[in-house]
Amino acid sequence: MVDVIARARVTDIIYAQLSQDADLYQEIMEICRRENITTGYVLNVVGGLRKARLSMPVKSGSNDAPPGVREWEGGLIECQAIGIIGRTIATYDSEKISGIINRAGEPYLHIHATITVAGETFMGHLIDGCIVRSLHKQSHFTITLAKTEGATLNFDVTKTVTAKYPTGIPIHELVQN
């Protein structure tokens, strides 16, 4: 069952080439601020990393395993990602547990990154600490973002708390403007 449908239109496609040693998450946040992207999506992220950090389950065997942070460094780490961009209504601080922190008033990024390291592939949520690898100052690491209008995606946190979500349960609110 579909709960909400909202229509939007793409108003801008933004391409960006990231600098050597840039933090992927922070650069996308900066582009959202600079280009005033309050709702949109990450069409494509393609490039190599020298260091990767993802928020993902660290224990297997359980459907409701809490997320943690996994890190990789060294060698060639290939990266691809897609996701959504919205606005953060309420601060959600799970940085110590999952590496995720969303601050009220800032852009909200929900990006699934897939990386390949030494022949193994992993997918998790993009967080701070994914560092661009480039042999040249002018990196080939390129991202494509879409800015949309007509619908709003808000990140909020419920007042309900649980043992696994002591600061509230994160939710997405999709609104037709």
Side-chain angles (χ1 to χ4, degrees), residues 8-145:
R9 64 190 164 286
V10 174
T11 60
D12 291 298
I13 301 291
I14 297 141
Y15 291 94
Q17 223 170 13
L18 303 185
S19 301
Q20 181 182 52
D21 297 324
D23 184 297
L24 178 57
Y25 184 89
Q26 290 303 322
E27 294 301 316
I28 294 172
M29 288 288 281
E30 179 57 29
I31 293 165
C32 289
R33 287 184 200 102
R34 189 183 307 174
E35 298 295 323
N36 194 30
I37 302 173
T38 56
T39 302
Y41 50 100
V42 178
L43 288 166
N44 197 21
V45 171
V46 175
L49 300 171
R50 66 176 177 79
K51 181 179 179 183
R53 285 182 81 233
L54 298 178
S55 176
M56 58 189 289
V58 292
K59 294 178 184 175
S60 60
S62 173
N63 285 344
D64 64 346
V69 176
R70 293 214 38 204
E71 298 186 36
W72 300 264
E73 190 165 3
L76 178 59
I77 304 168
E78 293 293 342
C79 178
Q80 173 181 310
I82 59 172
I84 55 177
I85 301 166
R87 19 181 233 176
T88 305
I89 303 301
T91 296
Y92 176 73
D93 188 348
S94 179
E95 191 169 24
K96 290 180 182 173
I97 298 167
S98 67
I100 295 172
I101 184 165
N102 299 312
R103 292 179 179 88
E106 289 190 352
Y108 167 62
L109 303 180
H110 187 130
I111 301 171
H112 286 193
T114 303
I115 62 167
T116 300
V117 182
E120 290 188 89
T121 302
F122 304 90
M123 189 197 58
H125 292 98
L126 180 68
I127 57 176
D128 284 334
C130 289
I131 308 301
V132 170
R133 177 188 180 274
S134 179
L135 301 176
H136 307 284
K137 281 203 180 262
Q138 175 79 35
S139 167
H140 68 279
F141 200 109
T142 305
I143 63 175
T144 311
L145 307 177

